[in-house]
Amino acid sequence: MRTVGSSREKTWPRIRTKGIDLICKTGFERMNLRKLAKESGIQVGSLYNYFSSKDEFLYKVICEIMSDLLATIEEAIEGTSNPVERLRIYVRTMVVWHCERRKEAYVSHNELKSLPKAGYNEVRSLRKRFEIILGDIVEKGCASGDFTVACRPVTVVAILNMLTSISEWYRPSGALRVELIVDTYEKLIGNMLLLKHQ
């Protein structure tokens, strides 16, 4: 009989969180499934109810991380068609997420190299969605006359690199507040796009 609190809905999030913690401490290659099971409070064999291999665990985790962030961004920008406002929402969402969920950001950005080829290709497709969404915002802003850029693809990649690198240097214990980082990035990116309505 299944004990109270041992449902998949409760167990998988715990496995995922402990796995992310271990990857951040040791790197994926050195992460041990026995250690993951122990940290998660389950038997090693029970892990295979959630994934078939260590590689599949990483693939599943990275896909979930990226899908969750994409859904958050898409939901947040859905309420407005104004490119200026959509840009600010996109930037704010990305900055806050990369500050508050640094471990997930680390795994999704730095462990792509550890994915098997098939998983890597699918994750690349998910990553491309961030570029497509931002590219659409910039394109519509240029069409409306709110933005001016010399080269849209280069500008979009530059903005994404700025946003995704935050988790590399931000520290919750540091002097910089998240809101200050958000405001600063909004201004920096607005200047890159020669934003008219600041």
Side-chain angles (χ1 to χ4, degrees), residues 86-159:
R86 285 168 75 89
L87 177 68
R88 287 183 173 145
I89 292 170
Y90 186 99
V91 170
R92 172 174 289 273
T93 303
M94 289 285 278
V95 171
V96 171
W97 188 89
H98 281 83
C99 287
E100 294 183 348
R101 299 170 73 171
R102 290 175 53 246
K103 291 182 178 180
E104 288 169 282
Y106 172 85
V107 171
S108 64
H109 295 316
N110 295 311
E111 291 295 350
L112 290 179
K113 63 184 183 298
S114 301
L115 286 169
K117 185 175 180 180
Y120 177 77
N121 289 337
E122 186 166 343
V123 168
R124 278 188 65 189
S125 296
L126 280 173
R127 284 171 67 90
K128 188 70 176 176
R129 284 289 303 148
F130 293 95
E131 185 178 334
I132 290 170
I133 293 169
L134 180 57
D136 181 69
I137 293 171
V138 173
E139 182 177 5
K140 285 183 168 59
C142 289
S144 67
D146 290 301
F147 307 152
T148 302
V149 297
C151 179
R152 184 173 64 86
V154 172
T155 302
V156 168
V157 170
I159 292 171

Side-chain angles (χ1 to χ4, degrees), residues 12 14 20 36 38 41 46 57 59 172 181:
W12 168 245
R14 185 166 68 249
I20 289 171
L36 175 58
K38 182 178 179 181
S46 297
F57 169 76
Y59 163 75
I181 299 172

Side-chain angles (χ1 to χ4, degrees), residues 9-26:
E9 293 77 14
K10 293 180 180 179
T11 305
W12 168 245
R14 185 166 68 249
I15 294 170
R16 169 178 147 159
T17 298
K18 296 299 182 181
I20 289 171
D21 287 344
L22 286 173
I23 292 171
C24 288
K25 288 178 183 176
T26 68

